[in-house]
Amino acid sequence: MYAYDELDRTLINERVSEFRDQVKRRLSGELTEDEFKMLRLQNGVYLQLHAYMFRVAIPYGTLSSRQLRALARVARRYDRGYGHFTTRQNIQYNWIKLSELPDALADLAEVGIHAMQTSGNNMRNVTSDQWAGVAPGEVEDPRIWSEILRQHTTLHPEFSFLPRKFKIAITASEHDRAAIKVHDIGLRLHKNADGETGFEVLVGGGLGRTPFIAKTIKPFVHGRDILSYVEAILRVYNQYGRRDNIYKARIKILVHELGIEKFAKEVDEEWKQMGHSALTLDHSVIEEVRSRFSYPVYEKLPHMPDELKQAAHDPLFERWRKNSVAPHKVQGYSIVTLSLKPVGGPPGDATADQMDAVADLADKYSFGEIRVGHEQNLVLPHVAKRDLPQLWKALDRIGLATPNVNLVTDIIACPGLDYCSLANARSIPIAQELTRRFANHDTAEMIGRLHINISGCINACGHHHVGHIGILGVEKNGEEFYQITIGGRADENAQMGALIGPAVPYAEVADVIEDIVEAYLALRDRPEELFVDTVKRLGVEPFKERVYATR
Amino acid sequence: MTSPLQQKIKITGPSMVTANRTSDGIVIYRTAQQGWSASLSDAAIVRTSDEARALLNEANADDVVAVGAYIAPVELKDGGEIKPGNLRERIRSKGLTIDLLPA
Ligand code: HEM
Ligand code: SF4
């Protein structure tokens, strides 16, 4: 957990009273919408189809039980009793009244949560691995660096009016759970040959209209130099980024147009000129931030407690454990993923009651800590293995023990046309139908790891480009159609999916996905070959044939 | 369903002007009495691009009550009933097409 300092608390409280005043002036007509729009966006407030949408940051995906209860309270008091966890470690509320927003912000401020920089052309929430600090084999806790970057960039004038929004993600594990290659800057913590800790810096990744996989700009930047190096990148971006054209304004376009070598050279020159010493991080600063993260005092526990041995006889428990429970760096503990993807439910939604119940379970079984991952699931990061059977029963009672993590029904989906004013087509009902089609757990298990990602328009909030199967809503003559891609992935081998053919109408999407999955089952050379690997081996053709031969 | 922000003012059939209410964001429709209503059946119907532009200008002038006004198509049924003219407007007037909670 991270303890915010006085500065943060003052800042957050000031922002709330400032916004309260701005809302009052908007409602009285003193401010026009044109004047107010920027101000509300700076506080995470968008206007959607049915209402205002309120986006709240969950820095590096870490929440205390107290904070989660505050999120639940906002859902209950000011919204319709639920919230939507997004792919960027935020939560969105869909039905907030502008007149009540200042109160909601004030409630959140009490627990150190805010909505700053969750929209607008600034540095967005710096995201990280949801297993940070507990994953075995991690170089060190990447959140320390997320926090250093967060502090440095929050309300920093140079980063508040960028050509476009800017997103950074950090990982410290071999396996990338933070999707760093589809961010404006991706940082991978590792050690160099001398055993020093630093970052591989990647730049220019992104999804949306023009997707790019980030490229490595520098294989190793020492930890103490990371602020100055990131700042050098941002300065080059600020100078050359296309402010004239919103579709070309992201850094990925600049990197693409200049080429990574030229871009890297510009950054290096800037870095040299800055005489990067001013931003060099003092050891004491890093340690000060590190000291604000508290870690549980773990017990010495057996690797295989009796409770777990006994529970292993229950096949229902076993199938949940197999998909939801991952090894922890400390013996006797586990990392537990809570699926927010029930059969027939909207992906990533949780009710206020569920949030409260998870907060209670976190207190009981996970040292009061909860994480939020980019796959729109929750995580209890420190569960003693002996408690797993009890936890499973408790989760099952609140509908959070669906044993489908990483399986075909663990779908990422954006809000789509049910909520979003930019959408071409609906996302959620497509996801719901797919979860019903693949509801049979044995089938899902046989299919194995398969990520379906759905976006309702080209902005790609649902990460469709990097889904093993990607589904993108488009519009044709006023009807909803969907383009389908296969072979994408978001991990350390990130890649964009390839289009399989013409878009298909709403009513056929689930059939087409079933066809693709059946084709895979027939084509894989052994049960362990994952869907993405079969696509990699065989290309799009056999799938295309299967889907379009009869259509 | 192209975002209305990108639309030029040129209508091809009966249309209305819709927006969201500033205070709570709910969907509202411009009425013929220079006001707003939460019910589509109260919407003023325009049939020419000039009428549409005039209604939109009038709506935009009322920046305090409403936000983000734009023109959207409607279908007129025989008995005079007004129906939303596309899926986006159907969703805005009828609400989500999904159940909120797992089945
Ligand atoms: C409902 C209101 C939302 C609006 C108005 C919105 C708007 C946008 C826009 C305009 C872009 C494209 C930016 C660009 O390419 O420069 C974008 C990208 C993105 N949004 Fe959203 N979004 C919304 C909801 C969400 C949700 C619910 C999620 C998570 C599930 C999300 C996560 C993302 C991500 C990950 C990207 C693409 C990555 C990238 O920036 O390259 N957004 N969004
Ligand atoms: S992908 Fe498009 S439809 Fe989906 S949330 Fe983003 S902007 Fe809206």
Side-chain angles (χ1 to χ4, degrees):
Chain A
M1 291 307 311
Y2 181 78
Y4 282 94
D5 59 19
E6 206 46 51
L7 190 75
D8 278 303
R9 279 194 292 271
T10 312
L11 179 70
I12 294 175
N13 287 329
E14 278 171 3
R15 273 299 273 263
V16 174
S17 39
E18 223 174 77
F19 192 55
R20 192 180 290 285
D21 180 57
Q22 289 158 352
V23 168
K24 201 168 125 209
R25 286 191 288 147
R26 173 69 186 115
L27 292 175
S28 72
E30 212 181 305
L31 288 177
T32 64
E33 181 61 19
D34 278 349
E35 291 161 334
F36 180 68
K37 189 172 175 184
M38 256 283 272
L39 303 171
R40 70 167 158 81
L41 285 176
Q42 281 167 5
N43 290 287
V45 183
Y46 287 77
L47 185 65
Q48 292 297 288
L49 292 183
H50 314 276
Y52 291 95
M53 182 273 276
F54 177 40
R55 182 183 290 161
V56 176
I58 303 170
Y60 29 85
T62 299
L63 283 172
S64 66
S65 52
R66 196 162 156 252
Q67 290 174 320
L68 184 55
R69 279 189 200 99
L71 294 178
R73 197 160 57 239
V74 167
R76 195 175 285 122
R77 215 181 261 175
Y78 308 104
D79 207 278
R80 295 195 179 168
Y82 69 107
H84 177 71
F85 288 95
T86 82
T87 53
R88 291 210 81 259
Q89 298 179 324
N90 294 314
I91 183 170
Q92 295 185 173
Y93 297 101
N94 298 298
W95 306 97
I96 295 253
K97 296 182 173 72
L98 184 61
S99 51
E100 293 183 355
L101 255 159
D103 292 336
L105 270 172
D107 285 7
L108 293 175
E110 276 178 30
V111 294
I113 295 186
H114 60 81
M116 278 181 262
Q117 294 179 215
T118 58
S119 65
N121 295 334
N122 50 38
M123 182 72 74
R124 299 292 185 85
N125 190 20
V126 179
T127 55
S128 191
D129 184 352
Q130 67 270 28
W131 293 2
V134 292
E138 185 177 76
V139 177
E140 66 174 32
D141 191 336
R143 294 174 302 165
I144 292 156
W145 300 96
S146 308
E147 176 56 23
I148 289 171
L149 278 160
R150 185 193 72 80
Q151 288 183 8
H152 181 66
T153 56
T154 297
L155 305 182
H156 186 311
E158 189 156 359
F159 305 149
S160 298
F161 300 96
L162 293 166
R164 196 78 180 88
K165 58 168 103 163
F166 204 91
K167 301 177 178 175
I168 298 184
I170 309 184
T171 180
S173 286
E174 282 300 313
H175 181 58
D176 174 13
R177 279 171 294 267
I180 66 166
K181 288 192 173 176
V182 294
H183 280 76
D184 296 282
I185 291 182
L187 298 174
R188 186 178 70 84
L189 259 177
H190 65 119
K191 285 197 193 301
N192 67 5
D194 297 331
E196 295 170 310
T197 305
F199 296 90
E200 178 186 3
V201 180
L202 296 95
V203 67
L207 301 171
R209 190 174 298 268
T210 349
F212 285 109
I213 300 290
K215 298 191 178 66
T216 300
I217 176 168
K218 228 177 181 40
F220 190 82
V221 173
H222 199 288
R224 63 176 172 252
D225 296 325
I226 196 61
L227 278 191
S228 62
Y229 193 73
V230 165
E231 182 136 344
I233 293 178
L234 280 154
R235 284 191 186 177
V236 172
Y237 174 48
N238 246 336
Q239 193 176 345
Y240 296 111
R242 292 281 298 270
R243 288 175 192 266
D244 58 316
N245 181 338
I246 189 171
Y247 298 124
K248 301 203 164 164
R250 295 289 289 267
I251 196 172
K252 61 190 175 186
I253 306 287
L254 180 63
V255 172
H256 179 71
E257 284 179 354
L258 283 182
I260 186 72
E261 289 82 19
K262 179 124 199 300
F263 184 80
K265 216 170 129 235
E266 293 279 347
V267 171
D268 264 336
E269 260 159 43
E270 181 66 40
W271 200 33
K272 254 187 234 126
Q273 257 179 26
M274 283 165 62
H276 41 82
S277 53
L279 284 172
T280 303
L281 284 162
D282 221 46
H283 184 68
S284 65
V285 172
I286 301 172
E287 289 315 307
E288 153 73 16
V289 173
R290 196 189 305 277
S291 73
R292 290 185 160 274
F293 282 87
S294 62
Y295 296 90
V297 182
Y298 297 107
E299 286 174 72
K300 222 172 146 33
L301 295 174
H303 172 64
M304 192 31 114
D306 290 341
E307 290 88 343
L308 199 55
K309 277 186 212 144
Q310 259 163 29
H313 298 299
D314 182 345
L316 290 180
F317 171 77
E318 269 305 282
R319 76 179 195 192
W320 171 80
R321 187 195 56 77
K322 197 167 152 237
N323 290 309
S324 318
V325 178
H328 193 282
K329 67 174 187 191
V330 177
Q331 174 180 299
Y333 286 85
S334 302
I335 305 171
V336 177
T337 301
L338 279 46
S339 168
L340 294 183
K341 318 291 176 65
V343 171
D349 281 9
T351 64
D353 291 348
Q354 285 175 326
M355 290 185 236
D356 274 338
V358 170
D360 291 345
L361 291 173
D363 282 340
K364 200 162 172 194
Y365 297 119
S366 183
F367 298 91
E369 192 174 328
I370 303 99
R371 304 288 181 83
V372 183
H374 91 268
E375 296 88 350
Q376 303 180 288
N377 288 320
L378 300 179
V379 171
L380 294 180
H382 329 271
V383 180
K385 284 183 174 175
R386 60 155 189 249
D387 295 333
L388 286 170
Q390 287 303 323
L391 173 62
W392 169 63
K393 282 189 193 131
L395 288 173
D396 195 39
R397 281 195 289 274
I398 54 172
L400 294 179
T402 314
N404 62 348
V405 175
N406 282 321
L407 298 182
V408 60
T409 49
D410 186 2
I411 296 172
I412 293 179
C414 79
L417 191 57
D418 278 292
Y419 294 100
C420 177
S421 59
L422 303 175
N424 288 319
R426 286 171 291 168
S427 307
I428 298 169
I430 298 274
Q432 290 175 306
E433 176 61 15
L434 286 170
T435 60
R436 287 185 206 107
R437 295 282 178 110
F438 293 101
N440 183 305
H441 185 76
D442 294 331
T443 313
E445 197 71 70
M446 180 187 56
I447 296 164
R449 184 183 262 258
L450 205 177
H451 296 164
I452 300 181
N453 294 359
I454 311 175
S455 306
C457 82
I458 195 64
N459 285 322
C461 304
H463 288 196
H464 64 275
H465 300 99
V466 290
H468 298 173
I469 297 178
I471 303 177
L472 163 65
V474 295
E475 183 217 336
K476 275 193 190 176
N477 304 323
E479 302 286 328
E480 296 165 289
F481 274 73
Y482 296 83
Q483 290 181 352
I484 292 164
T485 50
I486 59 174
R489 55 198 299 171
D491 58 9
E492 57 283 4
N493 302 311
Q495 186 176 330
M496 302 298 167
L499 196 61
I500 62 162
V504 299
Y506 180 85
E508 285 178 33
V509 175
D511 291 343
V512 167
I513 304 302
E514 278 191 323
D515 283 357
I516 292 173
V517 171
E518 276 170 25
Y520 153 66
L521 291 175
L523 290 164
R524 68 182 178 188
D525 67 2
R526 64 210 141 77
E528 299 76 41
E529 187 179 57
L530 298 184
F531 176 81
V532 264
D533 295 324
T534 306
V535 176
K536 191 169 171 196
R537 182 167 58 82
L538 296 173
V540 176
E541 275 315 309
F543 295 92
K544 183 174 184 164
E545 227 162 80
R546 171 65 184 257
V547 168
Y548 294 99
T550 54
R551 286 193 172 80
Chain B
M1 270 118 277
T2 312
S3 163
L5 301 173
Q6 297 160 14
Q7 289 175 2
K8 295 226 168 58
I9 298 182
K10 185 167 167 252
I11 63 173
T12 54
S15 300
M16 45 84 174
V17 166
T18 178
N20 293 78
R21 191 157 68 195
T22 307
S23 60
D24 57 6
I26 70 159
V27 175
I28 48 178
Y29 302 95
R30 188 72 185 172
T31 67
Q33 291 76 43
Q34 271 120 55
W36 295 95
S37 165
S39 166
L40 179 57
S41 58
D42 296 334
I45 303 302
V46 289
R47 290 162 206 279
T48 68
S49 298
D50 284 342
E51 281 173 20
R53 194 171 307 115
L55 189 65
L56 182 63
N57 286 341
E58 180 198 299
N60 277 331
D62 185 4
D63 182 66
V64 182
V65 176
V67 40
Y70 62 92
I71 299 161
V74 291
E75 255 180 68
L76 296 180
K77 295 290 175 194
D78 285 347
E81 195 191 350
I82 306 173
K83 292 264 191 195
N86 61 30
L87 177 61
R88 179 190 163 96
E89 293 310 323
R90 271 203 297 287
I91 291 173
R92 284 180 82 243
S93 90
K94 293 219 174 88
L96 302 180
T97 67
I98 50 176
D99 299 330
L100 293 188
L101 297 176

